[in-house]
Amino acid sequence: MKTHLISDSVYCLHADVHTDELFEGIWPIPDGVSLNSYIVRGEKIALIDLVRDWIGAPQQLKDALSSVNLAFSDIDYLILNHLEPDHTGWLAEFRKLNPKAEIIATAKGINLVKSFYKIETGLRIVKDGDTLDLGGGKVLTFFETPNLHWPETMVTWDAESGSLFSCDAFGSFGALGDRVFDDEFNEAEHAFFEKETLRYYANIVSSFSTFVERAITKLGGLDIKCVCPSHGIVWRKNPKEIIDRYARYASWAKGPAEKEIAIVWGSMYGMTKLGLDAVIRGIEQEGVPYSIHRVPDENVSWVLADAWKSSGIVLAMPTYEYAMFPPMAYALDIFRRKHVFGKKVLRIGSWGWVGGAKKECDAALEGLKWEPVECYEWAGAPTAEDLAALEAKGRELAKLISKEQ
Ligand SMILES: Cc1cc2nc3c(=O)[nH]c(=O)nc-3n(C[C@H](O)[C@H](O)[C@H](O)COP(=O)(O)O)c2cc1C
Ligand SMILES: [Fe+2]
Ligand SMILES: [Fe+2]
């Protein structure tokens, strides 16, 4: 197995998980996910972040450790930046193999070690700015970064190598294979990971965007030479790229995002789609790029990623039992929970006898701070007049998006 040296004393170990099981029980990972851990060596040895017993991850971690001539029993300190079970699920088994290693986390993190894993001894609480001297001149510093992703989260900093061990922050979906560093991936692979980073951000991190901004400001004074997240690429050539990317994604929580439109639509018999095609013609006339997502056919994970990224949204759905088309209601509920705020939106749809989607949709959008273009609905199949109006609506939304700062 290949070893991934960040410096003489810092190594990246990783396990790739490929599974049909959903991440967090919700989000598909067709291209897998990596669980990255790190070794930092002084006279003592620290392991940063663990794995879950998930599709062979502990064995992969064991093999990666042996590739640097280490075993679990050699670890002196286990640093847990974040207690979510993707990074800690295997903790009780690790403890059995190595009863002497001290487990280090924030106060809230140590509480979770006790409640999740029923471990009561060999625990050390660290606070913001505390250090851990590994001997041989190697000193680690801990910075609390609450809500990135859970309230107990911290990051670990190795000033000597300039490595920031950031756990979920700066992470991505997508398995890594036998390479981990940004300079080892080609352009097409980077394009793939960029998409998976956005999807990971929108699915996992987006509701904590304020905390992402706070953490980036807080860590701004560090001379970061390598960003070492616990999912995805390790950034040693261009660490600024992933930090800037996260800062950009976080800024989209408050205001304009990319000058793009995410179209989310659902239809039973195609009447709504006829109207949507006219809206799309209008958008195309203004030359604004758009993505198109049919629900429920497309999993909301991808819909959410494009909605997060786009300044404009089109919602196209029929009335269903006096209310919204149910898969759209689900998508909007996810948008609300994930703080997809500050969008410009056009809502359209067909109804059969009395409608009802509009009323429920207006109520659902209330909490989202979205700016609507006036909604357009029609009975049954759209007339030529409806189509002309819908085309104009598409142009109106697209113009609003192109004008945005
Ligand atoms: C299961 C079902 C429930 C419906 N509920 C309503 C309703 O409550 N109010 C209404 O005006 N039309 C209702 N309709 C009629 C549809 O809204 C209408 O057929 C519309 O044109 C469907 O658009 P679509 O072809 O894009 O799915 C319902 C249709 C179906 C199949
Ligand atoms: Fe997490
Ligand atoms: Fe994670």
Side-chain angles (χ1 to χ4, degrees):
M1 176 170 285
K2 210 169 137 190
T3 56
H4 307 288
L5 300 187
I6 293 167
S7 77
D8 291 348
S9 52
V10 184
Y11 324 133
C12 173
L13 320 170
H14 84 284
D16 273 343
V17 175
H18 291 279
T19 176
D20 290 336
E21 202 184 316
L22 303 172
F23 191 85
E24 287 188 345
I26 314 183
W27 316 110
I29 41 169
D31 295 296
V33 65
S34 72
L35 304 176
N36 306 346
S37 304
Y38 297 89
I39 286 285
V40 183
R41 297 187 84 133
E43 283 154 13
K44 301 277 190 185
I45 298 173
L47 174 63
I48 301 176
D49 294 334
L50 202 57
V51 291
R52 170 187 171 198
D53 189 359
W54 199 20
I55 322 289
Q59 183 62 43
Q60 291 183 59
L61 181 58
K62 182 171 183 253
D63 294 345
L65 271 175
S66 351
S67 75
V68 289
N69 302 316
L70 290 174
F72 288 118
S73 53
D74 295 320
I75 307 301
D76 298 296
Y77 301 105
L78 175 63
I79 295 168
L80 298 176
N81 283 320
H82 169 36
L83 264 292
E84 190 168 0
D86 53 333
H87 308 288
T88 59
W90 197 63
L91 183 58
E93 286 79 2
F94 171 87
R95 201 6 124 59
K96 278 183 213 143
L97 293 175
N98 181 340
K100 75 166 188 357
E102 202 171 10
I103 297 172
I104 296 179
T106 60
K108 285 181 180 166
I110 292 296
N111 280 341
L112 296 179
V113 170
K114 293 177 183 172
S115 63
F116 277 70
Y117 303 107
K118 314 302 177 201
I119 295 173
E120 295 287 340
T121 56
L123 308 176
R124 186 195 297 197
I125 292 174
V126 288
K127 295 188 301 301
D128 196 48
D130 279 359
T131 55
L132 175 70
D133 192 342
L134 297 178
K138 189 58 106 181
V139 178
L140 295 174
T141 309
F142 306 105
F143 296 108
E144 294 187 37
T145 50
N147 301 313
L148 254 184
H149 147 233
W150 283 9
E152 83 297 355
T153 314
M154 65 176 188
V155 298
T156 300
W157 167 242
D158 170 25
E160 191 188 48
S161 69
S163 304
L164 180 72
F165 304 98
S166 58
C167 203
D168 280 353
F170 312 121
S172 161
F173 289 138
L176 289 171
D178 61 358
R179 294 162 293 163
V180 303
F181 294 113
D182 53 342
D183 48 284
E184 297 177 302
F185 294 98
N186 66 31
E187 214 175 298
E189 289 163 331
H190 270 290
F192 161 80
F193 277 108
E194 186 166 358
K195 281 202 161 145
E196 285 292 83
T197 306
L198 171 66
R199 192 167 68 91
Y200 175 85
Y201 187 95
N203 293 184
I204 310 293
V205 188
S206 58
S207 11
F208 305 101
S209 291
T210 312
F211 298 95
V212 172
E213 290 184 327
R214 264 183 221 164
I216 290 176
T217 306
K218 177 171 179 169
L219 303 171
L222 303 177
D223 181 16
I224 299 171
K225 297 198 174 71
C226 189
V227 172
C228 307
S230 289
H231 304 288
I233 292 177
V234 180
W235 298 81
R236 68 178 173 190
K237 180 163 179 240
N238 196 358
K240 197 172 170 306
E241 185 168 331
I242 190 68
I243 297 171
D244 289 350
R245 195 178 289 170
Y246 260 63
R248 200 165 71 247
Y249 295 167
S251 77
W252 294 344
K254 288 199 296 273
E258 303 277 296
K259 287 183 191 294
E260 289 181 23
I261 294 172
I263 298 169
V264 191
W265 72 287
S267 170
M268 297 177 282
Y269 298 109
M271 300 301 145
T272 299
K273 181 63 167 39
L274 293 174
L276 176 61
D277 288 341
V279 170
I280 291 174
R281 281 196 294 279
I283 293 172
E284 286 176 345
Q285 284 157 16
E286 296 301 321
V288 173
Y290 62 89
S291 58
I292 180 153
H293 310 274
R294 183 174 186 173
V295 290
D297 309 47
E298 188 176 339
N299 188 286
V300 75
S301 172
W302 284 272
V303 184
L304 178 58
D306 271 331
W308 189 261
K309 172 176 169 231
S310 305
S311 283
I313 308 246
V314 174
L315 304 175
M317 73 179 120
T319 292
Y320 184 100
E321 293 176 359
Y322 304 99
M324 284 197 275
F325 186 54
M328 187 68 84
Y330 174 65
L332 290 182
D333 184 51
I334 293 280
F335 288 1
R336 183 182 55 78
R337 290 166 193 272
K338 294 294 174 180
H339 298 192
V340 181
F341 296 156
K343 308 294 183 187
K344 294 192 164 44
V345 62
L346 167 63
R347 229 243 349 115
I348 65 158
S350 168
W351 50 269
W353 53 95
V354 290
K358 181 176 185 309
K359 190 164 171 230
E360 195 195 10
C361 189
D362 287 348
L365 297 189
E366 239 166 48
L368 286 172
K369 304 171 203 159
W370 285 7
E371 192 184 314
V373 167
E374 199 193 346
C375 160
Y376 195 92
E377 291 191 321
W378 64 93
T383 61
E385 205 175 70
D386 290 325
L387 292 175
L390 285 158
E391 198 174 297
K393 293 269 175 198
R395 279 199 303 275
E396 185 184 342
L397 177 68
K399 277 188 187 140
L400 284 175
I401 300 305
S402 11
K403 273 202 317 235
E404 254 181 358
Q405 292 307 305

